Amino acid sequence: MMAIYVNKKTRVLVQGITGNQGRFHTELMQNYGTNIVAGVTPGRAGQEVLGVPVYDTVARAVAESGADTSVIFVPAPFARDAVLEALEHLSQVIVVTEGIPVQDTMELAAVAASRGCRLLGPNTAGVISPGLSKVGIMPGRVFTPGKVGVISRSGTLAYEISLALTEAGYGQSSLVGIGGDRVIGTSFIDVLKEFEEDPETKAIVIIGEIGGQAEEEAAEYIKEMTKPVAGYIAGRTAPEGKRMGHAGAIISGGTGTAESKIKALEGAGAGVARIPTAIPEIIAELI
Amino acid sequence: MKIYEHQAKKIFARYNIPVPEGEVACSPEEVQQAASRLDCPVTLKAQVLVGGRGKAGGIKFADNPEEARRLAEELFALEIKDLPVESLLVEEKLTIEEELYLGLTIDRSAKRPVLMLSTEGGVDIEEVAAETPDKIISSHLEPGQKFELYQARELISRLDIPSSLLNKLSQLLINLYRLYQEKDAQIAEINPLALTADGLCAADAKLVIDEDALFRQQEFEADGEELPYVELEGTVGCIVNGAGLAMSTMDTLLHLGGEPANFLDIGGGASAEVMARALSKVSCHPEVRSIFINILGGITRCDEVARGILQSIEEVEVPVVVRLRGTNEEEGSELLRENNLEVEKSMTAATEKAISAAKEWA
């Protein structure tokens, strides 16, 4: 079975494994079947967390474990350093940490691009390929293996829509959280291209929200795609100029409205749901 | 986080960006005293954290300290976009020959800072970009790297700006970018950047600091609001984990005939205490007729949420509808049922229930 970004073979390193969130989600990832091969917390080498060896440095952890993907739970003040370290040694870095200063993120995105690394997030729920592997914080039980690819800026909203898909009998090939910050490493278009190429994925759900132009840009690419796309945009009731939780979710100077994004997606031929639980009906029409 | 003009100008001055001589004053008397210490005429500028201040009558000019006091009384009586005027910036009035525009902001798509410079200052820069695009240049800068003088000179030389200004202006660009980086700014803008007989001077200063960087920007204080909360005018209070789900809960309420009273995201991994505070906060909203708690836990644990609900539930007079799914769902639901609270599973059904509860609540 195919999927994108993570699968049975993915060897995962957890940075920040000894913290509360790192430990808690390492256990949930293990229970899901994710192959967690190492952890890193500077100053804690030699310890074990849930049977996973802990190292001081990513360099050592990768050399000993053969990890290929890092998932980062390091608190925001230390995240820039941790992500730079990860980008030095790994080709895929998934940043769960929320609240990283945007100037740090811009720098990390530039470093990732110059090295040809995939940086997902920050402020992402991670990636799950149901039945194969989950690298992130999503509740595994709402997902089921299948043919719908899901991409989302928001974590919990992606769970909601995946749950609705699962209950309607549509499983998912992969769910990719791209993160809720203003600047993120991997865009909708990057993920859409992967799903377009993935033979297992038959339809795609794109979950956007107010703020920025990423959905409008994605719409331009959707026009060229062969696979059907459904969409949902959160924030039709959001007032202008207020940050709606996510750093990136803000309408400013009349740009970034839900209406503009819905119009762009519909203009590109995507079916756009007005409430999240209506996504399965749209998928039913598209497949 | 927006910074007052007078605070921004103090920071600009530390970065060797020339600003007018000025003082902050909080009463007409203080304004008069400030004006008598400065060279008249003076400019009086209402200090409010919104744009459109000039159009709203928030800027006045006085020829002497007595006139300054009289005009200050008018300004302190003003409300600009519903905000009271609590302080004025009293400055020596500039004799402006030319007005330029200089701004730094974030280009989200390009994932880089973008610098904009224009010979058309003092007006809305979006209008300049739309109407006379040849009078504005913009350039992406490399995040995390120094901006060099020669790069600034190359940028400036693309505009019709006299050579005599080149060295001073390029140094000013460098200084502003250094400030932007070191202070974790999201926006740093000088509009207008005035050209006077004495040289360049920042007649206005706009600075927005990245709230996520406050842990290392101790000179700015967070506003104390811990939870992302936006008050609206509907009747169904909303408490949700995750910003996207919170927004879509509001959208769903509206779609099904209800009206959200607020946006509130308890965030990822909320503790019982956070949930309890959220419930207290929303129950204080005077228009609220029912409260909808919509939780789909990933990093958030449903049992923690349930414990938080139980801590605050006695303060709440209106009906509360709880929907719990996800991590530790069984434990959380069991806790609530033991305390005679029903738990919903479907978001749509729970939304409908919260709407009818609000309608039925007298």
Side-chain angles (χ1 to χ4, degrees), chain B residues 3 98 114 141 146 178 263 294 301 356 362:
Chain B
I3 303 297
E98 302 264 2
V114 60
L141 304 181
K146 213 177 143 199
R178 198 161 59 83
F263 167 92
N294 186 17
R301 309 178 203 186
S356 39

Side-chain angles (χ1 to χ4, degrees), chain B residues 200-217:
Chain B
L200 293 163
C201 185
D204 198 2
K206 182 177 177 188
L207 197 53
V208 180
I209 303 298
D210 180 3
E211 286 165 39
D212 289 334
L214 291 180
F215 67 83
R216 64 186 179 199
Q217 296 296 343

Side-chain angles (χ1 to χ4, degrees), chain A residues 21 25 101-104 137 139 141 154 156-157 159-160 182 184-185 217 232 235-237 244-246 248 277, chain B residues 108-109 111 143 180 185-186 210 212 216 241-245 248 250-251 254-255 263 296-299 323 330 348:
Chain A
Q21 296 295 346
H25 288 287
V102 68
Q103 304 224 11
D104 291 359
I137 60 174
R141 68 161 106 190
S154 161
T156 47
L157 184 52
Y159 316 158
E160 192 68 56
R182 281 157 293 190
I184 48 177
E217 289 158 13
Y232 172 76
R236 272 184 297 139
T237 49
M244 304 297 277
H246 284 156
T277 46
Chain B
R108 292 170 59 151
S109 301
K111 306 172 194 177
Y180 177 86
Q186 276 172 245
D210 180 3
D212 289 334
R216 64 186 179 199
N241 68 311
L245 188 61
S248 76
M250 293 157 64
D251 294 349
L254 197 72
H255 188 80
F263 167 92
L296 181 48
I299 206 163
R323 185 270 184 139
E330 285 78 16
T348 313

Side-chain angles (χ1 to χ4, degrees), chain A residues 20-21 24-25 28 73 76-77 80 96 98-104 106-107 109-110 137-139 141-142 153-154 156-157 159-160 163 167 181-187 190 209-214 217 232-239 242-250 274-277, chain B residues 106-109 111-113 142-144 177 180-186 210-213 215-216 228-232 240-252 254-256 260 263 265 267-269 294-301 323 325-330 345-348:
Chain A
N20 280 339
Q21 296 295 346
F24 180 71
H25 288 287
L28 293 182
F73 290 94
R80 174 183 171 277
V96 173
E98 186 177 357
I100 299 177
V102 68
Q103 304 224 11
D104 291 359
M106 289 193 287
E107 185 183 355
I137 60 174
M138 59 287 282
R141 68 161 106 190
V142 307
R153 282 166 68 184
S154 161
T156 47
L157 184 52
Y159 316 158
E160 192 68 56
L163 177 65
E167 287 178 343
D181 280 357
R182 281 157 293 190
V183 173
I184 48 177
T186 299
S187 69
D190 299 326
E209 62 191 36
I210 56 162
Q213 297 290 309
E217 289 158 13
Y232 172 76
I233 304 292
R236 272 184 297 139
T237 49
K242 302 275 186 192
R243 168 173 165 171
M244 304 297 277
H246 284 156
I250 182 164
R274 290 304 186 266
I275 58 173
T277 46
Chain B
I106 292 165
D107 181 339
R108 292 170 59 151
S109 301
K111 306 172 194 177
R112 279 174 167 70
E142 281 307 303
Y177 188 55
Y180 177 86
Q181 287 183 310
E182 290 179 1
K183 295 293 158 197
D184 276 300
Q186 276 172 245
D210 180 3
E211 286 165 39
D212 289 334
F215 67 83
R216 64 186 179 199
Y229 176 83
V230 177
E231 192 159 298
L232 301 166
V240 189
N241 68 311
L245 188 61
M247 282 187 276
S248 76
T249 302
M250 293 157 64
D251 294 349
T252 305
L254 197 72
H255 188 80
L256 298 176
F263 167 92
D265 168 18
N294 186 17
I295 304 296
L296 181 48
I299 206 163
T300 303
R301 309 178 203 186
R323 185 270 184 139
R325 293 297 293 268
T327 307
N328 295 0
E329 172 184 329
E330 285 78 16
K345 275 183 170 292
S346 144
M347 169 162 161
T348 313

Side-chain angles (χ1 to χ4, degrees), chain A residues 82-258:
Chain A
V83 176
L84 284 174
E85 185 182 6
L87 289 170
E88 187 88 36
H89 301 283
L90 294 148
S91 58
Q92 178 164 265
V93 181
I94 298 171
V95 186
V96 173
T97 308
E98 186 177 357
I100 299 177
V102 68
Q103 304 224 11
D104 291 359
T105 302
M106 289 193 287
E107 185 183 355
L108 295 170
V111 171
S114 72
R115 298 232 172 92
C117 298
R118 180 178 300 123
L119 175 69
L120 263 180
N123 195 8
T124 171
V127 185
I128 183 168
S129 297
L132 302 176
S133 182
K134 85 160 185 162
V135 184
I137 60 174
M138 59 287 282
R141 68 161 106 190
V142 307
F143 301 91
T144 193
K147 299 180 188 313
V148 180
V150 184
I151 319 171
S152 180
R153 282 166 68 184
S154 161
T156 47
L157 184 52
Y159 316 158
E160 192 68 56
I161 287 173
S162 300
L163 177 65
L165 286 167
T166 294
E167 287 178 343
Y170 298 104
Q172 305 86 38
S173 52
S174 298
L175 156 73
V176 179
I178 58 172
D181 280 357
R182 281 157 293 190
V183 173
I184 48 177
T186 299
S187 69
F188 278 128
I189 295 177
D190 299 326
V191 188
L192 283 168
K193 285 180 179 166
E194 296 277 344
F195 277 134
E196 175 79 354
E197 296 296 317
D198 174 41
E200 195 62 29
T201 301
K202 301 296 178 205
I204 297 142
V205 178
I206 171 169
I207 307 169
E209 62 191 36
I210 56 162
Q213 297 290 309
E215 292 81 359
E216 287 86 339
E217 289 158 13
E220 289 304 308
Y221 177 71
I222 289 169
K223 288 178 187 167
E224 302 167 16
M225 290 176 64
T226 59
K227 294 180 182 173
V229 177
Y232 172 76
I233 304 292
R236 272 184 297 139
T237 49
E240 163 134 18
K242 302 275 186 192
R243 168 173 165 171
M244 304 297 277
H246 284 156
I250 182 164
I251 301 168
S252 54
T255 64
T257 63

Side-chain angles (χ1 to χ4, degrees), chain B residues 136-155:
Chain B
I136 180 168
I137 51 160
S138 68
S139 178
H140 290 120
L141 304 181
E142 281 307 303
Q145 290 182 26
K146 213 177 143 199
F147 180 35
E148 301 292 347
L149 267 174
Y150 79 90
Q151 295 172 314
R153 287 197 300 272
E154 284 181 1
L155 278 178

Side-chain angles (χ1 to χ4, degrees), chain B residues 100-118:
Chain B
L100 307 179
Y101 170 92
L102 174 59
L104 276 161
T105 182
I106 292 165
D107 181 339
R108 292 170 59 151
S109 301
K111 306 172 194 177
R112 279 174 167 70
V114 60
L115 182 143
M116 283 177 291
L117 179 66
S118 170

Side-chain angles (χ1 to χ4, degrees), chain A residues 16-42:
Chain A
I17 196 169
T18 57
N20 280 339
Q21 296 295 346
R23 179 186 297 264
F24 180 71
H25 288 287
T26 294
E27 184 167 13
L28 293 182
M29 285 188 277
Q30 284 177 325
N31 292 347
Y32 197 78
T34 305
N35 189 16
I36 310 255
V37 297
V40 165
T41 299

